[in-house]
Amino acid sequence: MKVSVIVLAMTTTEELFRMTSNCISSLIVSESTIEMEIIIIESNKNYPNSGFVYPEFVKVIIPESDFNFHKFLNIGIKASTGEYVALCNNDLIFYNNWFSEILKVKEENPSIKSFSPSGKIDDYSFSKIFELGYKVRTHVMGWCIVANREVFARIGFLDETFDFNYADNDYAMTLKKYNIKHALVNTSKVEHLEREKRNEKKEDVGLEYKKMQSEVNLGLIDLPKYAFKEEFKWLFEDKKALIDHVKFHKKWGDPEKLYRKNKVVDILIKYNLGFFNRFFLNG
């Protein structure tokens, strides 16, 4: 059994180099019987001259294009050779037998093809070894997704329309569309070291709202009408996130319609009729 671990990294400082190195070191000692292929997709195009050097057994790929979350993962998937592919951030610490625990679930439940480990490393109070579902940040942990290679044979490569925001959501919806089961494995422990975000004061949302309205009126942003409702005002806190939301909307539909479609699809899945999911999900 072989797992290809694809790690996205940007090695520009000693701190970032140390973070990725710790990630790799934890991977090496986490499994004693599993063959691992470690591939770093490096965003720093000057990495060869940076003075930072990862171990020889790590394959470092430096794409010519600018960073795109899904594109870079696709580059790693295409370069990988394992039966399983792990799509990972570089701010992770892998605990003993994290992948073996996923394999146990897979062996007892062959129909499950996609997995995420639990980020709750100190919590052993769970009642279920694994939980099926597609909820982002509940079942689908975008910082570490492990998929049987068969998944990509069925869905194709990741949609590079999503260069960062909504990438996890798109993956989850694609799995659901193709009726591919995903599980959070509570016994698989991987720690996500989320970097502290600076408390930068955001631009006044009201002013940003008016600015966006102006751009929409000028045809600079193709924004759906529901976005101007009060409950969607949060969209205007970040222009890039807003544009990415529009991408997701164009592919999967507006939130209200998508909610209704998901309700129907959940019923189909419950009664083993997931084959019909693709007729309700249009992405």
Side-chain angles (χ1 to χ4, degrees), residues 69-70 73 114 116 133-143 145 155 158-159 161-178 180 182 234-235 241 244-249 251-253 255 258 262 281 283:
F69 192 75
H70 271 176
L73 288 176
S114 179
S116 282
Y134 302 95
K135 291 182 179 179
V136 174
R137 292 181 294 277
T138 298
H139 305 109
V140 180
M141 303 299 181
W143 39 266
I145 292 170
I155 72 173
L158 303 170
D159 188 344
T161 301
F162 301 97
D163 54 4
F164 188 71
N165 297 305
Y166 292 91
D168 309 343
N169 305 72
D170 182 68
Y171 177 76
M173 288 301 302
T174 303
L175 290 182
K176 205 169 189 178
K177 174 182 176 179
Y178 284 92
I180 298 172
H182 177 90
W234 56 270
L235 283 171
D244 291 338
H245 177 85
V246 172
K247 293 178 186 176
F248 189 77
H249 161 86
K251 182 173 182 178
W252 297 105
L258 188 56
N262 271 311
L281 300 176

Side-chain angles (χ1 to χ4, degrees), residues 153-217:
R154 288 177 63 184
I155 72 173
F157 291 105
L158 303 170
D159 188 344
E160 296 177 6
T161 301
F162 301 97
D163 54 4
F164 188 71
N165 297 305
Y166 292 91
D168 309 343
N169 305 72
D170 182 68
Y171 177 76
M173 288 301 302
T174 303
L175 290 182
K176 205 169 189 178
K177 174 182 176 179
Y178 284 92
N179 193 33
I180 298 172
K181 293 181 180 178
H182 177 90
L184 174 76
V185 181
N186 287 312
T187 52
S188 172
K189 301 296 185 179
V190 177
E191 185 175 5
H192 184 205
L193 305 173
E194 294 182 283
R195 292 189 289 273
E196 293 184 7
K197 296 179 180 179
R198 297 177 182 175
N199 275 327
E200 296 178 355
K201 186 177 180 181
K202 292 182 179 179
E203 183 178 351
D204 182 81
V205 176
L207 293 176
E208 186 68 7
Y209 189 85
K210 292 178 181 178
K211 179 181 176 183
M212 292 290 187
Q213 278 185 316
S214 175
E215 293 191 7
V216 170
N217 292 334

Side-chain angles (χ1 to χ4, degrees), residues 13 23 26 28 35 43 51 59 64 87-88 96 101 103 107 111 113 126 150 163 171 184 187 190 240 260 263 268 283:
T13 67
C23 175
S26 70
I28 296 168
E35 182 182 358
S43 293
K59 184 175 183 178
E64 293 181 1
L87 310 176
C88 303
N96 288 343
E101 291 296 326
L103 281 184
E107 288 166 2
S111 63
K113 307 293 184 183
F126 46 82
E150 180 185 335
D163 54 4
Y171 177 76
L184 174 76
T187 52
V190 177
K240 178 67 171 65
R260 292 199 297 267
K263 283 294 184 182
L268 292 174

Side-chain angles (χ1 to χ4, degrees), residues 6 13 15 42 47 58 95 103 111 138 143 162-163 196 205 228 250 252 264 270 273 283:
I6 299 164
T13 67
E15 180 184 4
E42 176 58 58
Y47 168 78
V58 175
Y95 284 66
L103 281 184
S111 63
T138 298
W143 39 266
F162 301 97
D163 54 4
E196 293 184 7
V205 176
F228 291 102
K250 286 182 176 179
W252 297 105
V264 174
K270 181 178 179 180
L273 297 171

Side-chain angles (χ1 to χ4, degrees), residues 85-98:
V85 180
L87 310 176
C88 303
N89 286 13
N90 64 333
D91 56 345
L92 303 180
I93 299 295
F94 295 84
Y95 284 66
N96 288 343
N97 303 316
W98 70 277

